[in-house]
Amino acid sequence: MKQLKKLALIVLCLVMAMAFLTCKGSGGEQAASGGPLKIYFIPKDSVNPYFYAIDVGFKEAIAELGADKFEYIYTGPATAGPTDQIEYIEAAVQNKAFAVFVSANHDSALNRTFDDARAAGVNVFIMNQDIPGSEDHRDAAIMPASFANVGPLLIELMGQQMGYSGDFAILSATTDAPDQNAWIDGIKQALTDSKYANMNLVTVVYGDDQPEKSTTEMEALLTQYPNLKGVIAPTAAGIPACAKVLQTRRLSGQVKLTGLGLPSTMLEFVKDGTCESFALWNPPYEGYLATYLVDAIANKGYKPTPGSSFEAGKLGTVSVESNGQILTLKDLMVYDASNIDEYAPLF
Ligand code: RAM
């Protein structure tokens, strides 16, 4: 009898272990069974047009690699709150995602959700940025460009426009955004260079990546700082809102404007002189690279470990940095009257 009980216990343990392994391997299994790979892209929020530009790249690569091989889902919260993305990540896990690409709104608030997703066999990637201090909770981070280059470039563009002298402000997105905060730190650091000694950062305000709030914050800046000579808006949702305020108030050229933006939404403001120059990378490349990464993992046994590399179609061989980041590009591009017509139709 005792022997029988022991045997039953062993069988039970084996069954449980198998069930656990099956559950853990849910993402990978899709690859093994040949079903379409479920890729989720969860932007900071679902209404910011910046993320539609990344979406374009996913679709381009999926068309190249075979539409029947993937099931691609673009979904996210209406607002960019620190924990707003949790339910979307959980739904992706429930739906047996192979990989989730998340543009996180906080550097640590999603850690437990990421851990649970990875324990369930889902590949977790941070998209368009990283989660500083929480790198252990993701498999890799797709970076649009080297973040070290953002602050120095934006302060230089602002300096050129405002003659390297006077008060300027920063209009950011949400207060907790890891990317925005990294860039703001970079701007502050670059400002310590003696070249910028006469430039004075008066304040940082937050438009939450929403056109209405960005507009209100920009108007408040102009009222509160009548001597303001410039604004840096490192947000694709914020910079056109700032430009519109300047245009409406007939302040184009008097209060200078630069930052990060989409050429498509900045075209009219470059044309009328409201914004002489701004910067960005190539958002579609990020979605494109992400899809090739999924394909390499699922179909070529690739693991995105530091120092390793994979083939990403037209982007060539792409490697993983020692910190687990994958750079889509190194440098940013500057857009102005000389090239805006070329890029505005693209993104
Ligand atoms: C905003 C978002 C995003 C950033 C772009 C440039 O819309 O904050 O994360 O990369 O702008």
Side-chain angles (χ1 to χ4, degrees):
M1 191 64 189
K2 224 175 173 188
Q3 287 262 326
L4 213 71
K5 259 190 180 167
K6 212 172 168 186
L7 193 71
L9 203 70
I10 292 170
V11 170
L12 187 73
C13 284
L14 277 171
V15 168
M16 279 173 72
M18 276 185 68
F20 177 70
L21 283 175
T22 314
C23 162
K24 259 192 87 92
S26 61
E29 257 178 27
Q30 292 172 50
S33 65
L37 298 166
K38 289 180 185 163
I39 304 178
Y40 278 76
F41 174 33
I42 303 175
K44 285 182 169 181
D45 67 65
S46 58
V47 289
N48 185 343
Y50 173 77
F51 296 98
Y52 308 158
I54 297 180
D55 174 65
V56 167
F58 273 105
K59 289 174 178 157
E60 185 189 339
I62 287 171
E64 281 180 16
L65 289 164
D68 54 329
K69 286 165 86 184
F70 303 94
E71 188 182 333
Y72 168 67
I73 300 124
Y74 179 97
T75 181
T79 49
T83 55
D84 290 351
Q85 292 159 313
I86 288 178
E87 61 180 287
Y88 294 87
I89 302 166
E90 287 176 350
V93 175
Q94 280 289 317
N95 198 23
K96 297 196 172 359
F98 181 81
V100 293
F101 291 84
V102 184
S103 295
N105 286 313
H106 193 279
D107 54 17
S108 62
L110 303 173
N111 286 354
R112 259 188 68 179
T113 313
F114 289 153
D115 293 348
D116 291 348
R118 293 173 80 198
V122 180
N123 296 282
V124 173
F125 300 108
I126 308 302
M127 188 60 158
N128 191 53
Q129 55 177 85
D130 205 350
I131 39 174
S134 299
E135 290 84 353
D136 286 351
H137 300 269
R138 49 74 168 154
D139 289 293
I142 315 279
M143 308 297 284
S146 168
F147 274 18
N149 296 335
V150 178
L153 176 63
L154 293 184
I155 205 74
E156 176 55 26
L157 292 179
M158 184 86 282
Q160 283 171 9
Q161 291 192 32
M162 58 189 272
Y164 300 100
S165 147
D167 291 348
F168 73 99
I170 294 174
L171 186 139
S172 176
T174 53
T175 45
D176 294 314
D179 53 358
Q180 294 285 329
N181 289 334
W183 302 332
I184 293 168
D185 284 349
I187 291 169
K188 287 179 178 165
Q189 180 56 38
L191 197 57
T192 60
D193 189 312
S194 58
K195 185 176 183 186
Y196 308 116
N198 295 326
M199 287 168 66
N200 178 36
L201 173 61
V202 289
T203 188
V204 180
V205 297
Y206 298 87
D208 291 351
D209 265 346
Q210 288 171 11
E212 307 75 27
K213 181 144 192 284
S214 304
T215 301
T216 315
E217 292 292 340
M218 180 65 178
E219 280 168 347
L221 277 178
L222 296 172
T223 312
Q224 254 184 298
Y225 300 95
N227 295 324
L228 202 67
K229 281 182 76 179
V231 173
I232 301 178
T235 132
I239 190 172
C242 294
K244 191 79 202 159
V245 171
L246 293 176
Q247 190 188 57
T248 310
R249 291 200 179 195
R250 300 189 188 286
L251 287 171
S252 299
Q254 289 177 52
V255 177
K256 305 292 187 177
L257 176 66
T258 192
L260 301 175
L262 293 168
S264 54
T265 62
M266 292 304 288
L267 178 67
E268 68 163 298
F269 305 113
V270 169
K271 292 276 179 199
D272 77 357
T274 304
C275 176
E276 284 169 32
S277 58
F278 65 98
L280 199 70
W281 31 77
N282 189 317
Y285 279 4
E286 296 175 64
Y288 184 91
L289 184 152
T291 311
Y292 272 86
L293 173 62
V294 165
D295 185 59
I297 294 170
N299 301 319
K300 299 181 178 123
Y302 175 66
K303 279 199 169 58
T305 49
S308 66
S309 57
F310 63 100
E311 291 303 315
K314 67 178 179 184
L315 300 179
T317 308
V318 176
S319 48
V320 183
E321 308 283 306
S322 56
N323 56 6
Q325 295 182 350
I326 303 172
L327 300 191
T328 310
L329 294 173
K330 192 165 172 283
D331 295 317
L332 286 81
M333 254 196 82
V334 174
Y335 302 97
D336 56 24
S338 73
N339 62 4
I340 190 89
D341 284 321
E342 190 186 337
Y343 289 94
L346 301 182
F347 48 85

